[in-house]
Amino acid sequence: MANLQSFERAEYQQVKADLHRKILDRLDLEKLGKTSGDSARDEVLVVIRNAVNSEVVPLSFAERERLSREILDEIFGLGPLEPLLKDHSISDILVNRFDRVYIERAGKLELTGLSFKDNSHLMQIIERIVSRVGRRVDESSPMVDARLADGSRVNAIIPPLAIDGPCLSIRRFGREPVTARQMIENHTLTESMLELLSAMVKGRLNILISGGTGAGKTTLLNVLSGYIPNSDRIVTIEDAAELQLKQEHIVRLETRPPNIEGKGAVRQRELVINSLRMRPDRIVVGEVRGEEAFDMLQAMNTGHEGSLTTVHANSPRDALARVENMVSMANLNIPERAVRQQIAAALHAVVQIARLSDGTRKVITISEITGMEGDTPTMHDIFEFDRSGIDDSGKVRGTFRATGVRPQFADRLATAGARLRPALFESKAEV
């Protein structure tokens, strides 16, 4: 009996498509819609197995079982993506073309052997995803953001904007959020750095987390948010709900895209302004990316201390420049110096996190904003990751170390009950 490898991929996909159509003709879809999920899947799997076994195709028992499962995924799930969605070690699923599916695992991209039948098949899966959240994707609206049932963030872009066919990107989120202990075990930061960061959150300092795409900003934000006291009222504002806070007194807000007519959009700035009327103790913005930066700074400066947010930037200095640029998007004609003064007054620290060349994520610096010198905000590093090269296996070598600088906010934290050990800031290297 010939092996599946001897089958041409197109031939295998054609067999699967033909069986799929035959099985759909046999099923009572209306009756299935009224049946509970597990029961319906079991019933359909029996029908599929019978249909597959009746076909004269050169497949072994294991291959027929695999074909049956794939057809079941076509009917109830997202087709070839289903096995990837069940693998919790995968953080990103990237479909460049119908026959080029990549994944990110442990910070590294790898090509999978999975494939859709053709562009029409991939388009069907994209339409299934977006229709579940009341969105649409077609030539008049060729870009769409959506979310899967497990909270994973989805972006799809189709022709004519995508030249080689529909393109799909899925950012996965684990069922269980990464813990502080896991970040230490993964060498993302050290015990001393976490001790400082947790004290900063408990002491109600305003913290900006900066980093590139996929650097782990949201993961770190989630960990730091865990140190907010349970007695505080927290309002979270996000484009796509990713944060998994465990506190009891929490209100979660999410932006809304425009409807089919292009109306009804609710932007982050409107949610930030509205959150100020909700008596929050802490405001957590998943990512500041536009004119809402101005309202976020206003909130930090007017009694909502201890707020947290993230921004896309490659260094702490770039992060402040980006916030300044985003404030200018509000078109309020505020002098440049006044904007910088407000940034320096509102933010206490910038935490820079990066994904390194070996796929690992590290907190590169924890920097304190100390005020203004002329027209420029001043800052200095409290902790940093000192890179020393790459070993034979491609791993980045380096050490975390305190710079020896005692932060100006240390006294403020002490009065808030978050006293820091003097030895914490002694200049020394940590693995």
Side-chain angles (χ1 to χ4, degrees), residues 133-187:
V133 291
R135 306 293 305 283
R136 71 168 189 178
V137 59
D138 51 34
E139 280 195 15
S140 63
S141 180
M143 294 186 295
V144 65
D145 285 310
R147 203 171 67 213
L148 299 179
D150 65 356
S152 298
R153 193 169 64 206
V154 179
N155 176 270
I157 183 165
I158 67 170
L161 302 186
I163 297 171
D164 297 324
C167 180
L168 181 67
S169 305
I170 301 177
R171 168 64 60 86
R172 304 288 313 287
F173 303 108
R175 291 183 177 179
E176 291 298 322
V178 175
T179 64
R181 177 51 50 190
Q182 287 172 325
M183 294 192 84
I184 291 171
E185 291 171 354
N186 295 336
H187 303 292

Side-chain angles (χ1 to χ4, degrees), residues 359-397:
T360 59
R361 293 164 171 85
K362 307 280 188 190
V363 174
I364 301 299
T365 57
I366 300 175
S367 307
E368 179 186 21
I369 300 172
T370 56
M372 295 281 290
E373 188 173 299
D375 291 342
T376 306
T378 55
M379 58 200 314
H380 56 231
D381 296 342
I382 304 169
F383 282 94
E384 63 182 19
F385 178 70
D386 188 13
R387 277 174 271 199
S388 57
I390 298 176
D391 64 19
D392 295 337
S393 63
K395 290 285 185 182
V396 174
R397 295 163 56 185

Side-chain angles (χ1 to χ4, degrees), residues 14 42 93 192 213 240 278 287 351 391 401 405:
Q14 188 59 50
D42 292 341
I93 301 171
S192 299
T213 300
M278 299 173 67
E287 182 186 338
V351 180
D391 64 19
R401 70 180 187 89
V405 176

Side-chain angles (χ1 to χ4, degrees), residues 206-236:
N206 297 321
I207 302 173
L208 178 66
I209 299 171
S210 166
T213 300
K217 298 185 300 297
T218 303
T219 300
L220 180 58
L221 178 62
N222 214 53
V223 168
L224 296 187
S225 298
Y227 293 103
I228 297 175
N230 206 35
S231 57
D232 284 3
R233 175 174 168 83
I234 309 167
V235 177
T236 67

Side-chain angles (χ1 to χ4, degrees), residues 23 49 56 79 90 116 124 127 142 157 182 185 189 213 237 367 386 391 397 404:
I23 290 161
R49 281 173 175 157
V56 181
I90 295 173
F116 295 82
Q124 288 173 13
E127 288 172 347
I157 183 165
Q182 287 172 325
E185 291 171 354
L189 42 60
T213 300
I237 299 166
S367 307
D386 188 13
D391 64 19
R397 295 163 56 185

